[in-house]
Amino acid sequence: MTGTTTLDLGPQARIVARLAAAVPDTRLAGRTPCPAYTVAALLGHLAGLAAAFCDAARKDLGATTDTAPGAAAPALPAHWREELPRVLGELAEAWQDPAAWTGMTRAGGVDLPGAVAGAVAADELVVHGWDLARATGQEYAPDPAALRASYAFLLAAARDGDRGGGIFAAVVPVPDDAPLLDRAVGLSGRDPAWTPPPSP
């Protein structure tokens, strides 16, 4: 992570929790900017990644941290409206510990420095927050610090030719003077102009 040793993930985690809370049941089967994910699958993925990155922060390595990024999205928990904000809060709390950002840990089955795992967690929250907002017609303003961390991570990955183990699509070109969120979204392989397809 460029220029930062730690980052408070709490503001971005709370933004994602608010977006999720506003999703009506009627939108759960809808499409998202991630072609393989419905809204329900995206919410399940968010719950799964929150648990995984919470464990990564605590260096509690096991089933959650060994799950590959390309694995099937976790099923949406039956009580997801209560569980998702809880695990997002636990994620943010775990990364409050400076020790989370030091040493080595594991996420997605890959061993990596704690600071890199923290940057990945920020990126997941920022980009999937955008996915969820776009898919459900909500306004979205990510936490500025998390957005900067996400952009720095994605830019470095693009320059290295590392597309995150195949979970990202090719970079979508975005003008250099576009808003930072649009540039991050493009680097993640998404079209910033994406909108849900009309209902049949």
Side-chain angles (χ1 to χ4, degrees):
M1 185 182 298
T2 304
T4 302
T5 303
T6 63
L7 170 69
D8 183 1
L9 296 180
Q12 181 60 29
R14 289 189 289 273
I15 288 168
V16 174
R18 286 196 297 270
L19 290 168
V23 175
D25 289 347
T26 54
R27 289 287 191 114
L28 292 177
R31 298 260 309 272
T32 75
C34 303
Y37 285 176
T38 61
V39 171
L42 177 59
L43 290 164
H45 177 64
L46 280 164
L49 76 85
F53 279 97
C54 179
D55 288 343
R58 295 170 176 165
K59 313 295 196 291
D60 184 10
L61 310 183
T64 61
T65 60
D66 287 343
T67 301
L76 185 62
H79 302 291
W80 67 270
R81 291 190 184 277
E82 295 78 29
E83 182 172 334
L84 183 54
R86 177 182 60 77
V87 293
L88 285 168
E90 291 175 353
L91 164 70
E93 182 180 359
W95 286 98
Q96 291 282 350
D97 184 350
W101 300 84
T102 64
M104 296 294 293
T105 189
R106 186 181 305 141
V110 177
D111 292 329
L112 70 173
V116 175
V120 176
D123 176 61
E124 292 277 354
L125 292 175
V126 168
V127 173
H128 286 315
W130 181 86
D131 291 333
L132 185 59
R134 277 302 171 97
T136 57
Q138 299 186 61
E139 294 295 322
Y140 182 53
D143 172 62
L147 174 58
R148 289 192 297 270
S150 171
Y151 178 77
F153 168 76
L154 290 165
L155 184 61
R159 286 175 173 166
D160 290 344
D162 175 10
R163 302 313 295 154
I167 60 171
F168 295 134
V171 168
V172 174
V174 176
D176 291 342
D177 61 351
L180 187 61
L181 178 58
D182 286 0
R183 285 181 277 151
V185 165
L187 286 170
S188 77
R190 293 153 169 78
D191 180 355
W194 187 93
T195 56
S199 301

